[in-house]
Amino acid sequence: LASHRSKPLAHLVRYMLVHSNNLYADSIAKNLTYEYLGKTATYTRMALAIRRVLKERAGIDLAEAHIVDGSGLSPHNLITPRQMLSLLEFVKANDSTLGLIDMLPLAGKTGTLAFRASVTQKPLREHVRGKTGTLVNVSNLAGFVTSASGASIPFVIFTNSITHSPRERDRIRNGATASSHYGYERYVLEQIQAERHFSPGKR
């Protein structure tokens, strides 16, 4: 009776990354599952398809990761920073074909990085592209920093167990202050941007 063609996949992926849209992420992952396995997409099959595609096409083994959905919205998803970094290194090495880096939000300018307190000021403003991941008491950021020498450096920052006093939580919610973890995030990114060797656990 009727048909409707979506916009090109690249447009959908860009929108998903810029706005951190979980519905788009799950829908794209489910379509990947159907195209790759030729079966109706379930979350179990989705995890299988993601593992197989990454193993066969990128040489990345996520056998020890726990994948529950395509958006990362479930707190039961478990992936290490090193595993995520391996994905980013593959993206960087193949970006002339993939074209994914320029789809990511730009610090201080677009999407979820337009107002993220850690990256809105120089030298990070307009020099960080990344994908956020936010749950209760969790704030993650992974992407690429353009260094002082012009190099594109992949990074992963996973921060969990974030807690605040009730008063501080209200101030953050009302926009009166930023969460204190953004200060550490900014410190780490500035060291990467300046291409300094440092220990992430020390300031």
Side-chain angles (χ1 to χ4, degrees):
L1 296 176
S3 63
H4 174 75
R5 297 184 66 85
S6 73
K7 292 184 177 180
L9 180 60
H11 177 93
L12 302 179
V13 171
R14 181 185 295 274
Y15 184 89
M16 180 269 291
L17 291 172
V18 169
H19 300 285
S20 196
N21 189 292
N22 295 313
L23 179 60
Y24 273 48
D26 269 339
S27 297
I28 291 169
K30 286 180 177 179
N31 274 279
L32 164 71
T33 304
Y34 177 77
E35 292 292 334
Y36 191 74
L37 297 179
K39 298 179 181 179
T40 302
T42 64
Y43 282 109
T44 299
R45 288 173 179 164
M46 180 193 300
L48 176 63
I50 290 172
R51 293 178 196 277
R52 285 187 177 177
V53 168
L54 290 175
K55 183 70 177 293
E56 295 173 9
R57 304 294 178 87
I60 297 172
D61 187 356
L62 293 184
E64 295 183 1
H66 191 201
I67 302 172
V68 177
D69 55 33
S71 64
L73 189 60
S74 170
H76 298 294
N77 288 293
L78 296 173
I79 185 170
T80 68
R82 188 174 296 278
Q83 289 168 329
M84 181 61 70
L85 187 63
S86 69
L87 291 172
L88 295 178
E89 289 172 340
F90 177 82
V91 168
K92 177 184 174 181
N94 296 274
D95 198 55
S96 59
T97 300
L98 298 173
L100 282 174
I101 295 178
D102 282 345
M103 292 186 183
L104 292 166
L106 181 62
K109 299 290 288 186
T110 59
T112 53
L113 294 191
F115 302 105
R116 192 175 179 94
S118 59
V119 296
T120 54
Q121 302 299 318
K122 294 181 178 181
L124 300 177
R125 183 181 178 87
E126 298 186 40
H127 287 93
V128 176
R129 285 190 179 274
K131 175 70 180 69
T132 57
T134 306
L135 296 172
V136 175
N137 300 331
V138 174
S139 180
N140 299 332
L141 183 62
F144 302 87
V145 176
T146 301
S147 72
S149 68
S152 181
I153 303 175
F155 71 90
V156 179
I157 302 174
F158 287 172
T159 309
N160 54 37
S161 301
I162 301 172
T163 58
H164 303 96
S165 67
R167 180 180 179 184
E168 188 71 5
R169 189 161 53 246
D170 288 340
R171 285 173 52 81
I172 293 171
R173 186 181 299 115
N174 295 329
T177 188
S179 175
S180 57
H181 81 278
Y182 285 131
Y184 179 71
E185 186 173 279
R186 180 173 59 251
Y187 164 76
V188 172
L189 292 172
E190 285 180 346
Q191 304 310 301
I192 296 172
Q193 199 275 337
E195 300 182 72
R196 298 192 186 102
H197 295 286
F198 73 105
S199 172
K202 298 179 180 180
R203 290 191 62 178

